[in-house]
Amino acid sequence: MAFVRLLTSLLWAAVFVVALLFAIKNTEPVTLQFYFDQSWQAPLVFVVLASFAVGAAFGVIACLPPIVRQRRELAGLQRELRLARTTETAPREPARTLAPDVPSQP
């Protein structure tokens, strides 16, 4: 377990170092052109990270409806299971035996 945590920490440290080096090497300003002669200048690393964040947010929003649907279905199934377990453990009435049909004698 400790080995997995160490490996995970090293992986995150490597990702951080790569992102830091990317940010250091891409500080030159870029100009984004919009419609109606609008423009915006920002460092390249900021533009790349902002576009990544917006894409990740759209991805999370796109995943929400299926997740909500699955959670509702799971809650319904858990409710059914609880109901089935309570009826299983409830004391049952003794089974009634029916008397066989005896023909009446004249």
Side-chain angles (χ1 to χ4, degrees), residues 19-91:
L20 180 67
L21 292 175
F22 176 77
I24 289 171
K25 294 297 277 183
N26 292 292
T27 57
E28 59 272 355
V30 294
T31 304
L32 299 177
Q33 302 290 331
F34 298 104
Y35 291 106
F36 307 114
D37 292 330
Q38 297 290 321
S39 63
W40 180 54
Q41 278 195 335
L44 177 61
V45 68
F46 179 75
V47 172
V48 170
L49 291 177
S51 63
F52 174 77
V54 169
F58 280 136
V60 168
I61 291 170
C63 289
L64 284 178
I67 290 172
V68 170
R69 192 175 321 115
Q70 287 175 350
R71 286 186 184 223
R72 280 190 194 147
E73 183 179 353
L74 180 61
L77 291 173
Q78 287 175 339
R79 193 170 30 254
E80 283 182 32
L81 182 61
R82 272 194 312 271
L83 182 63
R85 284 183 179 166
T86 56
T87 57
E88 243 179 43
T89 59

